[in-house]
Amino acid sequence: MGLFDEVYRKARRVARAIRDHLIPPPIPEDVIAGRLDGMSSTLSRCKSQLAVLMKEQRELQLKIHRNANQITHHLREARLCTARGEHETAGEHLRARARHEQVSGVLGRQLAEFRGQIERLVDHVRGLELVVEDARRRKQLLLAQRECIQAH
């Protein structure tokens, strides 16, 4: 088996030499630039998703506001109906008010959960921005070091 192993090792050396000759090693700046492009595209996708979520949060806040207006309206109408002696209509307004208060509770919990998720996403986006900036600085430092070495 010694002859086979020796021939195999020589064949591997020749294959590596051919591969190294045909495929140049990657340039570190190109590798870093590729990673930076990937991180930048991820960052932009995160920012666009964050903008969509913030818009949805504003819409939810608007629903809560409208619902609060409905609660106030039904309470006011119930009081007016009671003053006029229309107790049955006043009861309908109070039931409608109770339904809107239940919806208000659900929407309030959703908004609180939504805000927490958005805050966490904002923190992650800021962290990613810091990582991208740090990578850009390191790339510039590597380029400056290489130029300095080539100048000497």
Side-chain angles (χ1 to χ4, degrees), residues 56-70:
E56 289 176 9
Q57 179 185 356
R58 285 189 298 274
E59 290 172 359
L60 185 57
Q61 287 172 332
L62 186 60
K63 281 182 185 179
I64 290 172
H65 180 70
R66 287 180 187 149
N67 196 46
N69 288 344
Q70 286 294 317

PDB file of all heavy atoms in Angstrom, residues 56-70:
ATOM      1  N   GLU A  56     -48.728  50.086  11.225  1.00  0.00           N
ATOM      2  CA  GLU A  56     -49.779  49.261  11.812  1.00  0.00           C
ATOM      3  C   GLU A  56     -50.059  49.687  13.258  1.00  0.00           C
ATOM      4  O   GLU A  56     -51.208  49.668  13.702  1.00  0.00           O
ATOM      5  CB  GLU A  56     -49.390  47.787  11.759  1.00  0.00           C
ATOM      6  CG  GLU A  56     -49.413  47.204  10.366  1.00  0.00           C
ATOM      7  CD  GLU A  56     -48.934  45.770  10.319  1.00  0.00           C
ATOM      8  OE1 GLU A  56     -48.732  45.150  11.388  1.00  0.00           O
ATOM      9  OE2 GLU A  56     -48.757  45.251   9.202  1.00  0.00           O
ATOM     10  N   GLN A  57     -49.017  50.088  13.980  1.00  0.00           N
ATOM     11  CA  GLN A  57     -49.211  50.562  15.354  1.00  0.00           C
ATOM     12  C   GLN A  57     -50.054  51.840  15.360  1.00  0.00           C
ATOM     13  O   GLN A  57     -50.957  51.981  16.184  1.00  0.00           O
ATOM     14  CB  GLN A  57     -47.865  50.822  16.032  1.00  0.00           C
ATOM     15  CG  GLN A  57     -48.003  51.348  17.446  1.00  0.00           C
ATOM     16  CD  GLN A  57     -46.673  51.707  18.069  1.00  0.00           C
ATOM     17  OE1 GLN A  57     -45.617  51.502  17.494  1.00  0.00           O
ATOM     18  NE2 GLN A  57     -46.720  52.242  19.270  1.00  0.00           N
ATOM     19  N   ARG A  58     -49.766  52.753  14.444  1.00  0.00           N
ATOM     20  CA  ARG A  58     -50.568  53.980  14.369  1.00  0.00           C
ATOM     21  C   ARG A  58     -52.032  53.665  14.044  1.00  0.00           C
ATOM     22  O   ARG A  58     -52.946  54.284  14.598  1.00  0.00           O
ATOM     23  CB  ARG A  58     -49.978  54.938  13.330  1.00  0.00           C
ATOM     24  CG  ARG A  58     -48.719  55.641  13.810  1.00  0.00           C
ATOM     25  CD  ARG A  58     -48.300  56.741  12.850  1.00  0.00           C
ATOM     26  NE  ARG A  58     -47.975  56.282  11.516  1.00  0.00           N
ATOM     27  CZ  ARG A  58     -46.784  55.832  11.131  1.00  0.00           C
ATOM     28  NH1 ARG A  58     -45.790  55.806  11.987  1.00  0.00           N
ATOM     29  NH2 ARG A  58     -46.582  55.449   9.891  1.00  0.00           N
ATOM     30  N   GLU A  59     -52.258  52.704  13.153  1.00  0.00           N
ATOM     31  CA  GLU A  59     -53.628  52.310  12.812  1.00  0.00           C
ATOM     32  C   GLU A  59     -54.339  51.711  14.027  1.00  0.00           C
ATOM     33  O   GLU A  59     -55.527  51.980  14.256  1.00  0.00           O
ATOM     34  CB  GLU A  59     -53.620  51.325  11.651  1.00  0.00           C
ATOM     35  CG  GLU A  59     -53.210  51.943  10.326  1.00  0.00           C
ATOM     36  CD  GLU A  59     -53.010  50.923   9.221  1.00  0.00           C
ATOM     37  OE1 GLU A  59     -53.174  49.703   9.482  1.00  0.00           O
ATOM     38  OE2 GLU A  59     -52.680  51.336   8.104  1.00  0.00           O
ATOM     39  N   LEU A  60     -53.620  50.925  14.807  1.00  0.00           N
ATOM     40  CA  LEU A  60     -54.205  50.349  16.015  1.00  0.00           C
ATOM     41  C   LEU A  60     -54.527  51.437  17.032  1.00  0.00           C
ATOM     42  O   LEU A  60     -55.586  51.403  17.675  1.00  0.00           O
ATOM     43  CB  LEU A  60     -53.250  49.312  16.613  1.00  0.00           C
ATOM     44  CG  LEU A  60     -53.744  48.515  17.811  1.00  0.00           C
ATOM     45  CD1 LEU A  60     -55.029  47.773  17.480  1.00  0.00           C
ATOM     46  CD2 LEU A  60     -52.675  47.547  18.275  1.00  0.00           C
ATOM     47  N   GLN A  61     -53.651  52.420  17.155  1.00  0.00           N
ATOM     48  CA  GLN A  61     -53.927  53.542  18.053  1.00  0.00           C
ATOM     49  C   GLN A  61     -55.164  54.316  17.593  1.00  0.00           C
ATOM     50  O   GLN A  61     -55.971  54.756  18.422  1.00  0.00           O
ATOM     51  CB  GLN A  61     -52.720  54.479  18.122  1.00  0.00           C
ATOM     52  CG  GLN A  61     -51.568  53.913  18.908  1.00  0.00           C
ATOM     53  CD  GLN A  61     -50.307  54.762  18.798  1.00  0.00           C
ATOM     54  OE1 GLN A  61     -50.101  55.440  17.790  1.00  0.00           O
ATOM     55  NE2 GLN A  61     -49.482  54.708  19.821  1.00  0.00           N
ATOM     56  N   LEU A  62     -55.322  54.459  16.291  1.00  0.00           N
ATOM     57  CA  LEU A  62     -56.500  55.134  15.749  1.00  0.00           C
ATOM     58  C   LEU A  62     -57.776  54.342  16.065  1.00  0.00           C
ATOM     59  O   LEU A  62     -58.805  54.918  16.427  1.00  0.00           O
ATOM     60  CB  LEU A  62     -56.345  55.333  14.243  1.00  0.00           C
ATOM     61  CG  LEU A  62     -57.414  56.152  13.544  1.00  0.00           C
ATOM     62  CD1 LEU A  62     -57.467  57.568  14.118  1.00  0.00           C
ATOM     63  CD2 LEU A  62     -57.143  56.209  12.047  1.00  0.00           C
ATOM     64  N   LYS A  63     -57.721  53.012  15.951  1.00  0.00           N
ATOM     65  CA  LYS A  63     -58.870  52.176  16.309  1.00  0.00           C
ATOM     66  C   LYS A  63     -59.228  52.358  17.780  1.00  0.00           C
ATOM     67  O   LYS A  63     -60.407  52.438  18.134  1.00  0.00           O
ATOM     68  CB  LYS A  63     -58.560  50.690  16.057  1.00  0.00           C
ATOM     69  CG  LYS A  63     -58.661  50.250  14.637  1.00  0.00           C
ATOM     70  CD  LYS A  63     -58.390  48.761  14.551  1.00  0.00           C
ATOM     71  CE  LYS A  63     -58.370  48.286  13.121  1.00  0.00           C
ATOM     72  NZ  LYS A  63     -58.082  46.841  13.053  1.00  0.00           N
ATOM     73  N   ILE A  64     -58.215  52.409  18.633  1.00  0.00           N
ATOM     74  CA  ILE A  64     -58.461  52.593  20.064  1.00  0.00           C
ATOM     75  C   ILE A  64     -59.124  53.946  20.307  1.00  0.00           C
ATOM     76  O   ILE A  64     -60.070  54.056  21.100  1.00  0.00           O
ATOM     77  CB  ILE A  64     -57.142  52.451  20.862  1.00  0.00           C
ATOM     78  CG1 ILE A  64     -56.691  50.994  20.842  1.00  0.00           C
ATOM     79  CG2 ILE A  64     -57.305  52.953  22.286  1.00  0.00           C
ATOM     80  CD1 ILE A  64     -55.316  50.767  21.428  1.00  0.00           C
ATOM     81  N   HIS A  65     -58.656  54.959  19.620  1.00  0.00           N
ATOM     82  CA  HIS A  65     -59.239  56.292  19.775  1.00  0.00           C
ATOM     83  C   HIS A  65     -60.700  56.308  19.323  1.00  0.00           C
ATOM     84  O   HIS A  65     -61.571  56.858  20.006  1.00  0.00           O
ATOM     85  CB  HIS A  65     -58.409  57.311  18.984  1.00  0.00           C
ATOM     86  CG  HIS A  65     -58.919  58.708  19.073  1.00  0.00           C
ATOM     87  ND1 HIS A  65     -58.837  59.447  20.221  1.00  0.00           N
ATOM     88  CD2 HIS A  65     -59.553  59.496  18.152  1.00  0.00           C
ATOM     89  CE1 HIS A  65     -59.393  60.634  20.014  1.00  0.00           C
ATOM     90  NE2 HIS A  65     -59.826  60.681  18.766  1.00  0.00           N
ATOM     91  N   ARG A  66     -60.972  55.706  18.180  1.00  0.00           N
ATOM     92  CA  ARG A  66     -62.356  55.637  17.683  1.00  0.00           C
ATOM     93  C   ARG A  66     -63.259  54.876  18.654  1.00  0.00           C
ATOM     94  O   ARG A  66     -64.404  55.249  18.891  1.00  0.00           O
ATOM     95  CB  ARG A  66     -62.398  54.975  16.308  1.00  0.00           C
ATOM     96  CG  ARG A  66     -61.866  55.839  15.210  1.00  0.00           C
ATOM     97  CD  ARG A  66     -61.943  55.123  13.887  1.00  0.00           C
ATOM     98  NE  ARG A  66     -61.288  55.883  12.840  1.00  0.00           N
ATOM     99  CZ  ARG A  66     -60.692  55.346  11.799  1.00  0.00           C
ATOM    100  NH1 ARG A  66     -60.680  54.025  11.649  1.00  0.00           N
ATOM    101  NH2 ARG A  66     -60.116  56.100  10.883  1.00  0.00           N
ATOM    102  N   ASN A  67     -62.711  53.788  19.200  1.00  0.00           N
ATOM    103  CA  ASN A  67     -63.478  52.997  20.148  1.00  0.00           C
ATOM    104  C   ASN A  67     -63.775  53.805  21.414  1.00  0.00           C
ATOM    105  O   ASN A  67     -64.881  53.735  21.959  1.00  0.00           O
ATOM    106  CB  ASN A  67     -62.714  51.717  20.488  1.00  0.00           C
ATOM    107  CG  ASN A  67     -63.595  50.698  21.141  1.00  0.00           C
ATOM    108  OD1 ASN A  67     -64.702  50.454  20.687  1.00  0.00           O
ATOM    109  ND2 ASN A  67     -63.115  50.100  22.219  1.00  0.00           N
ATOM    110  N   ALA A  68     -62.791  54.585  21.879  1.00  0.00           N
ATOM    111  CA  ALA A  68     -63.015  55.436  23.051  1.00  0.00           C
ATOM    112  C   ALA A  68     -64.091  56.476  22.755  1.00  0.00           C
ATOM    113  O   ALA A  68     -64.929  56.781  23.627  1.00  0.00           O
ATOM    114  CB  ALA A  68     -61.716  56.117  23.461  1.00  0.00           C
ATOM    115  N   ASN A  69     -64.100  56.995  21.541  1.00  0.00           N
ATOM    116  CA  ASN A  69     -65.153  57.940  21.154  1.00  0.00           C
ATOM    117  C   ASN A  69     -66.531  57.270  21.183  1.00  0.00           C
ATOM    118  O   ASN A  69     -67.519  57.888  21.597  1.00  0.00           O
ATOM    119  CB  ASN A  69     -64.891  58.516  19.762  1.00  0.00           C
ATOM    120  CG  ASN A  69     -63.741  59.503  19.758  1.00  0.00           C
ATOM    121  OD1 ASN A  69     -63.324  59.989  20.805  1.00  0.00           O
ATOM    122  ND2 ASN A  69     -63.218  59.780  18.573  1.00  0.00           N
ATOM    123  N   GLN A  70     -66.601  56.017  20.746  1.00  0.00           N
ATOM    124  CA  GLN A  70     -67.868  55.281  20.770  1.00  0.00           C
ATOM    125  C   GLN A  70     -68.344  55.051  22.208  1.00  0.00           C
ATOM    126  O   GLN A  70     -69.531  55.146  22.501  1.00  0.00           O
ATOM    127  CB  GLN A  70     -67.725  53.939  20.045  1.00  0.00           C
ATOM    128  CG  GLN A  70     -67.658  54.058  18.550  1.00  0.00           C
ATOM    129  CD  GLN A  70     -68.958  54.580  17.976  1.00  0.00           C
ATOM    130  OE1 GLN A  70     -70.051  54.179  18.375  1.00  0.00           O
ATOM    131  NE2 GLN A  70     -68.839  55.514  17.047  1.00  0.00           N
TER     132      GLN A  70
END
